[in-house]
């Protein structure tokens, strides 16, 4: 995805610049899963997966007078997680049969509320690890294996990566399955309306 944690940063910088990320995300707890029908499309800088479309646009869909600032926050968190679910579904279609655990890193992975939302939307255990720089650390492990520092990539991972936290899906998976079904229809329906 092009705008995962970047979506939350954009939201904070645009609407509540002085509010810390933790406080911002904590406000999402006051809103029920599914954000009372509000859906956020996280295509703020276009998209690359699952839609290779640099002209894709973000947006809030289903906004009504009953929604408030806290709904917007939660819908951003959920919209990013739905985008991750799109990628998750692509992996399943490509033949990855059983996914029992997903390891996440980066800025968004620091927040347990967001990790719980992701666990519920993917319906899988979410694990954080000792390295917060997933891509760079992975590249370093590949290079170290290539130079002979490790016998294999598997051994490199076993010797250097430690699980720091686990979050399992809660009781919201059914709510999120319905919301994801609606989210998944939006890009194809709106694609032709994105400004070119």
């Amino acid at each position: 995805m092009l705008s995962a944690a970047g979506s939350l940063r954009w939201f904070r910088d645009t609407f509540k610049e002085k509010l810390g990320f933790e406080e911002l995300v904590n406000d999402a707890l006051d809103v029920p899963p599914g954000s009372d029908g509000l859906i956020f499309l996280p295509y703020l800088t276009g998209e690359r997966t699952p839609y290779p479309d640099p002209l894709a646009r973000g947006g809030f869909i289903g906004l009504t007078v009953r929604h408030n600032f806290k709904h917007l926050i939660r819908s951003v968190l959920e919209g990013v997680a739905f985008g991750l679910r799109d990628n998750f579904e692509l992996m399943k279609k490509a033949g990855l049969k059983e996914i029992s655990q997903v390891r996440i890193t980066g800025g968004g992975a620091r927040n347990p509320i967001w990790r719980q939302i992701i666990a519920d939307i993917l319906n899988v255990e979410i694990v954080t690890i000792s390295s917060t720089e997933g891509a760079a650390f992975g590249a370093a492990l590949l290079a170290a294996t290539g130079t002979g520092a490790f016998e294999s990539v598997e051994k490199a991972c076993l010797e250097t990566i430690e699980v720091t936290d686990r979050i399992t899906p809660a009781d919201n998976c059914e709510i999120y399955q319905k919301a994801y079904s609606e989210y998944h229809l939006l890009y194809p329906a709106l694609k032709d309306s994105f400004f070119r």
Side-chain angles (χ1 to χ4, degrees), residues 103 129-131 133-162:
R103 294 179 175 208
I129 60 171
S130 49
S131 173
E133 298 301 325
F137 191 70
L141 290 180
L142 289 173
T145 302
T147 65
F150 295 102
E151 188 176 302
S152 68
V153 174
E154 291 79 12
K155 281 201 171 199
C157 292
L158 286 172
E159 291 182 32
T160 60
I161 297 174
E162 182 180 322

Side-chain angles (χ1 to χ4, degrees), residues 119-180:
D120 294 346
I121 288 174
L122 298 182
N123 194 17
V124 69
E125 179 184 52
I126 298 296
V127 172
T128 53
I129 60 171
S130 49
S131 173
T132 58
E133 298 301 325
F137 191 70
L141 290 180
L142 289 173
T145 302
T147 65
F150 295 102
E151 188 176 302
S152 68
V153 174
E154 291 79 12
K155 281 201 171 199
C157 292
L158 286 172
E159 291 182 32
T160 60
I161 297 174
E162 182 180 322
V163 171
T164 58
D165 190 31
R166 298 173 185 275
I167 293 184
T168 57
D171 297 331
N172 301 319
C173 296
E174 192 173 319
I175 293 167
Y176 280 132
Q177 178 57 42
K178 182 177 183 290
Y180 173 71

